Amino acid sequence: MLSSNRGTVEDFFLAGRNLAWWSIGTSLFVSNVGIGHLVALAGTAATSGIAVVAVEWSAPFLLCVLGWIFSPIYVKAGVVTMPEYLRKRFGSRRIQFLLAILYLFLYIFNRVSVEISTGAMVMGVIFDWDVYQATIFFLTFISIYTISGGFATVIYIDALHAGVVVLGSVLLMGFAFKEVGGYQELPHAYLNAKPSIIHEGNWTAKPECYLPRLDSFHIFRDHITGDLPWPGIVFGISIISLYYWCTDQG
């Protein structure tokens, strides 16, 4: 990692195409599962139930599609980025430029901003930091190791990140189950959980905003009344996941 050449585009963005399989696997894992998932998806599950797991359920199948169909095409084309592939595929630099601008816009205002803000909030809770201090720390630290080391450094940092995420998630799950009395008690405790404060001043929360859904422990929900209807889970999320896992530049 420290001695690899960073003098070419291939070295910087692809680590010279010389990475171990386990490092690629851990990088794929933590590129998908980050602090945004631990905070946002957990929060969504707490408010609406377990159906949110459907966002991830197609990942194993689509990673096989990535490995068997998409990756050989990318390797044969000799491309580094998706905009570059589209330029070679359709012969237009305009497509390459527009897609690059679109990716930058989406990542800055959607992906990166969410990850940084949620990470800053967590760091603020743990270390009692101001959210702006935590944000500056994150941006500085990430910029230094990414710009100086390229993709190889990112890969090895991701491997460390994967260990922290897995260990932390397992410990959190254990403490959570212990707190509610085990998984057998979870459905009962969840369906009877109510906030202690539902009104303040002239404001009163509507019951549907704080009472648990009756279908909280159902993944496939009614196509009319469900907040995550089953057609969207089966068809809609699969299409989005195909883009996310096989063509997303993030």
Side-chain angles (χ1 to χ4, degrees):
M1 178 177 66
L2 297 176
S3 61
S4 298
N5 182 27
R6 302 288 181 269
T8 66
V9 173
E10 182 175 293
D11 289 330
F12 189 84
F13 285 103
L14 298 179
R17 301 180 186 270
N18 188 29
L19 292 170
W21 64 267
W22 59 266
S23 62
I24 297 174
T26 54
S27 181
L28 279 172
F29 170 70
V30 297
S31 294
N32 175 54
V33 180
I35 191 67
H37 284 69
L38 295 179
V39 174
L41 284 185
T44 302
T47 57
S48 65
I50 65 173
V52 70
V53 302
V55 175
E56 303 292 338
W57 75 335
S58 58
F61 308 103
L62 293 176
L63 283 173
C64 293
V65 173
L66 172 64
W68 291 335
I69 299 177
F70 284 82
S71 290
I73 295 175
Y74 299 150
V75 172
K76 185 176 181 180
V79 297
V80 176
T81 65
M82 279 303 300
E84 183 184 6
Y85 171 76
L86 290 183
R87 177 179 61 81
K88 287 190 174 184
R89 175 65 178 82
F90 297 104
S92 173
R93 291 189 177 275
R94 183 180 300 175
I95 293 178
Q96 180 183 13
F97 175 77
L98 291 177
L99 185 61
I101 295 298
L102 177 61
Y103 273 148
L104 286 174
F105 179 83
L106 290 175
Y107 296 146
I108 291 174
F109 293 100
N110 182 25
R111 299 277 291 278
V112 175
S113 59
V114 170
E115 293 292 334
I116 292 295
S117 61
T118 52
M121 288 189 290
V122 172
M123 294 291 284
V125 172
I126 296 175
F127 297 107
D128 195 25
W129 286 359
D130 180 82
V131 64
Y132 296 105
Q133 292 176 328
T135 300
I136 293 173
F137 169 79
F138 272 126
L139 292 176
T140 303
F141 177 70
I142 294 171
S143 298
I144 289 174
Y145 79 73
T146 302
I147 296 173
S148 62
F151 187 57
T153 303
V154 173
I155 286 289
Y156 288 106
I157 292 293
D158 282 349
L160 176 63
H161 183 191
V164 173
V165 168
V166 172
L167 178 61
S169 299
V170 171
L171 291 175
L172 179 61
M173 179 183 65
F175 286 126
F177 279 144
K178 181 180 179 181
E179 187 69 21
V180 299
Y183 181 78
Q184 299 298 328
E185 294 295 325
L186 177 61
H188 175 75
Y190 178 84
L191 292 175
N192 288 278
K194 297 180 181 179
S196 58
I197 300 176
I198 60 174
H199 59 82
E200 183 175 353
N202 296 326
W203 171 82
T204 301
K206 296 181 180 180
E208 56 267 25
C209 294
Y210 61 85
L211 291 178
R213 295 180 58 90
L214 296 179
D215 58 359
S216 296
F217 288 87
H218 293 270
I219 294 179
F220 297 100
R221 300 179 179 180
D222 188 84
H223 65 288
I224 300 296
T225 61
D227 58 338
L228 291 173
W230 70 263
I233 288 179
V234 175
F235 303 108
I237 290 180
S238 298
I239 295 173
I240 296 173
S241 296
L242 180 66
Y243 155 76
Y244 182 85
W245 285 108
C246 300
T247 66
D248 185 25
Q249 197 66 50

